[in-house]
Amino acid sequence: MHLLNLGILAHVDAGKTSLTERLLHSAGVIDEIGSVDDGSTRTDTLALERQRGITIKSAVVSFPVDDVTVNLIDTPGHPDFIAEVERVLGVLDGAVLVVSAVEGVQPQTRVLMRTLQRLRIPTLLFVNKIDRRGARHDDLLREISDRLRAAVVPMGSVEDIGTPAAGFRTGPAPGTAAVLADHDDELLAAYLENTVSYDLLCTALATQTRQALVHPVYFGSAITGAGVDALITGIKELLPAAEGDPQGPLSGTVFKVERGPAGEKVAYARMFSGTLRTRDRITFGDAGEEGKVTAISVFDHGTDVGADSVPAGRIGRLRGLGEIRIGDAIGVPRKAYEHFFAPPTLETVVVPGPGADRRALHLALTRLAEQDPLIGLRNDEVRQETAVSLYGEVQKEIIQATLADEFGVQVTFRETTPLCIERPVGTGTAAEFNKKDENPFLATVGLRVDPAPVGSGVRFALEVELGAMPYAFFKAVEDTVRETLGQGLHGWRVTDCVVTMTHSGYSPRQSHAHQGFDKSMSSTGADFRGLTPLVLVEALRRAGSQVYEPMHRFRVEAPVDTLGALLPVLAAVRAVPRTTETRGALCVLEGVVPVAQVHGLERQLPGLTRGEGEWESAFDHYAPVTHGTVPERARTDQNPLNRKEYLLNVTRRMA
C-alpha cells in the first residue's frame, strides 16, 4: 500500500477544515460531516478551536483512496499560528492549498505559496466556495497566476458558478499543453506538430506536478461536495507517494509534541528511513539524548491505532521519550531543522491575575512553549515576571484563553512591544588574568568582539592553542558567550558578530596529601562561566552596539481616491513606500514599516479606504533605530554591566 503525507494549507476562513471534513466523508471515514460553526469537526479537537471556529494546532487524520493511505495534516490558517505550519512543511510529500472563490488570493495565501515553491513541495490548488454568491472563475485564475506567480493548470470547468447548484466538470482546459510544453521537450515537439495525445498530456502533467513545476487547479465546494471527487483523484494520481527504505538506517523528524491525559509527552514523528519499534532505545536531538519508546500508534481510517512499529513513510505517535522536543531528529539526522518563516518579532509580559499561583503559571507557560518552539519565554527573577514572544494580538488572546481553560490560570498582558536586536558597531577587546588585579575567579579570559555580515549570527573562534587548557574550560567560555549575548548593552539579543578568545589560562588541579581536591587553589568550569560575562560585556562596551528594530515589508491595495487619506497616516508611522502601481481604479503601494506600527495600521485601514483596502505584511529585515530614544529592555541576567552588582549576584547565587 502506498502512503502519502498531505498538508492542507490556506488563509484563514478559506474553508480548509471544511474541506478536510468533506474528504473524510467522501472516503467513508466519517458518516456525518462536521461543522466549523457548530464546533463538531474531526480535526479541531481543542475546546478553544471549537469555540472560535479556527484551527490553532495542526492535527493528523488518515483516509484511504483505493490503494493509497493518505495521512492528512490540517494546519492553522491564521498568520499568528504560522509556527504550526512551519513544523508540518518538513514532513510533507504534497500539499493542497485552498483558495476562496469569493475572496480570492489573500495575504497568507501568498506567504504559503512562496514557501511551498521554495521547498519544491508538489501542490494542488482547490478553489473553494464556488456555490457562494460572488464566486469567480476566469478572473480568479488570472489572479492566482499573477499574484502567486505560479504556473497553473485548470483541471476542468465550472457550471452555474455562484449558485447552490454549482458544479465542476473535469477535462483538459485550453492552453494546458502550452503550459506543460515549457518543461517537456517531447511534449513541445508534439505541440508544435499538433500531435499531442491525451496520454502524453496526462503523463507530462503528473511528472511536472510531482516536480512542483506546475500546479493543477480544481474548483469546488466543501459544503456541497462539488469538485471534491476530482480533487481526490488528483491527490491519488498527481502527488508523489512517500519514499523511504523500511530496512534502512533509522531516521525521522518530530514535528509536534503534546501532553497525554497523564501529562506524559506524546511525540508526532514522520519516519523517513528504517522502522521504529516498541521498546527500541533510540537517540534523538542535537545532544544525542537516549530514550526508550514505550508505545506507538499510527493513523488509520480517521483515527490512531496501537501498533508495534512505524516504518519509513508513516507518521507515528510515540510515548516514553520524556526529553524529546519539536524539531528533534530521531536516529540519523536527515537535515538540520529549518525555520521557513521569520521568528516572532513581538513580546509581552504575562501578568498573573488575582490569586494566581506563579509556579502554576510558570509550569503552564513552559508547557505551551514546549509545543511551540518559536514562542520564547524570558524569565525575570528579580521582578518576578515572565515575557513571552508573539506573532500577533490574536495569538495573545489564544494564550490567555488556553491558560484559563486548560490550566486554570487567569492572566492579563502588558502592552505588546517589538523585539529589537543589537549588532556591534566596531571592534572591542578585553581581558582579565588569573590572580591579577581584582579578578576573583581562578581563570584567564581574553575576548575580542568583531562585527560580522548581516544574517551570519554568532560565531566563536580561538586565537589560543586548544591544548592550552582542558577542553571543558573552552566549552564553558563558548557556552557562556552565547548565553551572555542574549542581552547586550541595551538588553537586546546581540547577533551578527564574531567573538574570538584571545587569552586563556587556569590554575591546575591542586590537592593536599590525605585531603583530596582543593577548590581554593584549582580552576573549575564555574570560574570561566563567572568571568566570561564580565570580559565579554566590557569588550562589547568598547566595540559599541547599535539597536535595530524589526521592519515589515507591506503591500496595500486601495482605491486611488483614498490615497490622500492613506499616505499621511503611513508617513506619520514612518512607513516608507517604495513602489506605487495603478491598476484601473486601484492603487498598489509596497514598502516597509516598523513592526510596532503594523497592528495600528491594520485597524485604521478599513476606515481610511472605505473598507476596500487590503493589507499584507511580513517580516523583512532589521533597521537601525534612528528616531527618538533608543529602546531599552530590562535585564534578566546578573547584570555584568555593573561589576559590583554582578559579583554580588554571582556570589549570592553560588552560595
Side-chain angles (χ1 to χ4, degrees), residues 136-143 161 219:
R136 299 171 291 145
H137 181 267
D138 292 344
D139 66 321
L140 182 54
L141 278 172
R142 288 191 294 272
E143 182 180 311
I161 191 168
F219 282 72

Side-chain angles (χ1 to χ4, degrees), residues 51-72:
Q51 292 167 12
R52 292 181 172 245
I54 62 172
T55 302
I56 299 170
K57 296 292 182 184
S58 59
V60 183
V61 66
S62 73
F63 63 90
V65 180
D66 298 332
D67 63 339
V68 178
T69 295
V70 179
N71 285 328
L72 189 149

Side-chain angles (χ1 to χ4, degrees), residues 250-505:
L250 190 68
S251 179
T253 298
V254 175
F255 66 92
K256 178 178 178 178
V257 173
E258 63 184 15
R259 293 276 177 172
E264 76 281 12
K265 276 189 179 180
V266 181
Y268 287 66
R270 157 75 191 267
M271 302 308 298
F272 293 99
S273 175
T275 300
L276 181 60
R277 297 177 174 82
T278 307
R279 295 184 292 279
D280 278 355
R281 291 199 67 84
I282 61 171
T283 59
F284 55 85
D286 294 337
E289 297 191 58
E290 290 193 0
K292 181 180 179 181
V293 179
T294 58
I296 293 174
S297 57
V298 296
F299 296 91
D300 191 27
H301 282 76
T303 187
D304 63 306
V305 295
D308 295 328
S309 64
V310 51
R314 297 206 75 158
I315 292 173
R317 299 175 81 234
L318 315 178
R319 284 180 164 82
L321 307 175
E323 301 302 317
I324 203 158
R325 298 170 300 173
I326 291 170
D328 278 353
I330 293 176
V332 179
R334 180 169 173 260
K335 60 180 178 180
Y337 183 63
E338 298 179 63
H339 290 313
F340 307 126
F341 301 100
T345 53
L346 299 171
E347 185 178 62
T348 185
V349 172
V350 183
V351 181
D357 186 332
R358 289 185 178 274
R359 287 177 298 179
L361 172 59
H362 179 73
L363 176 62
L365 288 171
T366 302
R367 290 279 179 89
L368 289 181
E370 226 174 47
Q371 299 171 18
D372 195 340
L374 290 186
I375 293 181
L377 297 181
R378 187 169 180 269
N379 296 309
D380 186 338
E381 296 178 4
V382 176
R383 298 171 185 80
Q384 294 292 297
E385 294 177 346
T386 299
V388 59
S389 52
L390 301 165
Y391 278 100
E393 295 297 319
V394 172
Q395 190 179 18
K396 188 162 69 174
E397 296 173 14
I398 296 300
I399 290 175
Q400 183 180 34
T402 302
L403 290 172
D405 296 348
E406 296 187 18
F407 299 96
V409 180
Q410 303 292 332
V411 301
T412 56
F413 297 94
R414 291 190 191 154
E415 182 182 1
T416 303
T417 57
L419 275 171
C420 300
I421 63 169
E422 293 181 47
R423 291 186 177 120
V425 175
T427 295
T429 60
E432 296 211 19
F433 297 91
N434 189 7
K435 300 178 182 178
K436 288 188 179 181
D437 301 323
E438 298 179 357
N439 179 7
F441 302 100
L442 293 177
T444 293
V445 174
L447 297 171
R448 184 177 68 248
V449 176
D450 295 296
V454 172
S456 60
V458 174
R459 186 166 68 87
F460 183 75
L462 294 176
E463 280 186 0
V464 294
E465 291 291 337
L466 192 57
M469 63 182 186
Y471 174 74
F473 295 162
F474 285 111
K475 188 72 169 71
V477 172
E478 179 178 357
D479 291 346
T480 308
V481 162
R482 295 185 183 279
E483 180 182 347
T484 304
L485 289 178
Q487 299 179 67
L489 302 180
H490 300 278
W492 305 103
R493 178 176 61 90
V494 182
T495 187
D496 299 335
C497 63
V498 178
V499 179
T500 305
M501 190 169 186
T502 58
H503 298 80
S504 67

